[in-house]
Amino acid sequence: MSADPVALTRDLIRCPSVTPAEGGALAYLESVLTAAGFRVHRMTFHEPGAEDVENLYARIGDTEPNLVFAGHTDVVPPGDETTWTHPPFSGDVVKGELFGRGAVDMKGGIACAVAAVLDHLAANGGKPRKDGAGSISFLITGDEEGIAVNGTPKLLDWCAKQGEKFDHCVLGEPSNVENLGDTIKIGRRGSLNGTLIVHGKQGHVAYPQRADNPIRGLVALIAALQAEPLDVGNPNFQPSHLEFTSVDVGNKTVNLIPGEARARFNIRFNDYHTQESLKALLEERALKVAGNAIRFTFEWQPSNANVFVTSPGPFTEMVATAINDVTARSPTLSTTGGTSDARFITHHCPVVEFGLVGQTMHQVNERVPIADLRALTVIYRKIVERYFT
């Protein structure tokens, strides 16, 4: 099998693996890794109310340390395919760029990791180290772009039951902002969704004394919850923030005071907080304003998006040095952006995210420069070499 990251990326893009469909992507990786000597396991996980998801775990070597490359082969839908300059699952190469859904997020990152590891094994007699020590693994899921129930969490549980242990992980998400080498993600903020509900009394607008308009209370509580910052941030994280995203009373009649008003919100929070401490904080702030005059409740949406951070140290320094050697850039250690599967992996080992540039991910004409694929492969190869030195 080819260790060319461009060919590997192209072949993965040609697998239409829109969440949660496997689309042939895991089968392709299984064939490549099996040919290289990996023990490959594919499994499908089930959960009531969620779609079944196929996943893959592969390992070569039997001893510690075990360096893991993680990622997902599922992609978001391409949308209206007629708006694409090149078909989203074609893997066309035009003017030095490879087009296709998943080119950046994140089949390209997986392909670069596979190519780097295959090159490393070829130079070391098919082993992570010439003396046979150490292991390299791939942890590949199929629903990161979905609800992330039957993917990485279940796959990690399966690995734990099999006695698989991990020492460090590189997750190939598109971490860079403008140029390859500008950013390593060492953590992610947590995410919590909720709905603020104010309970009033329905009535005719001509007789407001007979009703209790919940909209007034909702406006007051929204203002109170946003009046003070949740925190001021810290060296690893930006300040936490709360954003209201919709306000709804479900009222289609102009002369009717509604009986209830709702406002949905999201909180992106740092490691000053937990989900439970945030719930308590918002309840406390709302009660101060509401007193006995406003009747309200919160509805909280279950969330597995908890905050985490990998403390800077020898592993992050090794990754940053490899990046600098190839790109001449000193990457920023960042915790910005949305959630990723790193939030699950962090419970098993230290994890950093470093992949391609995320400029075109999830967009029409998603694409990656060929030069970036080759450079990322070299970076991953240096990481592997230094890890096992």
Side-chain angles (χ1 to χ4, degrees), residues 194-208:
T195 303
L196 171 62
I197 307 167
V198 175
H199 311 280
K201 181 180 178 182
Q202 191 179 83
H204 197 294
V205 295
Y207 305 94

Side-chain angles (χ1 to χ4, degrees), residues 7 38 40 42 59-60 67-68 78 91 120 162 179 190 216 221-222 225 233-234 253 284 292 297 323-324 336 352 362:
F38 281 79
V40 181
R42 285 177 60 189
R59 177 171 177 167
I60 192 166
L67 175 63
V68 183
H120 176 79
Q162 306 305 311
N179 300 286
R216 295 178 181 177
L221 291 182
I222 288 175
L225 293 178
N234 60 43
T253 306
E284 180 184 348
N292 295 321
T297 55
I323 293 167
N324 182 264
T336 59
V352 298
H362 292 205

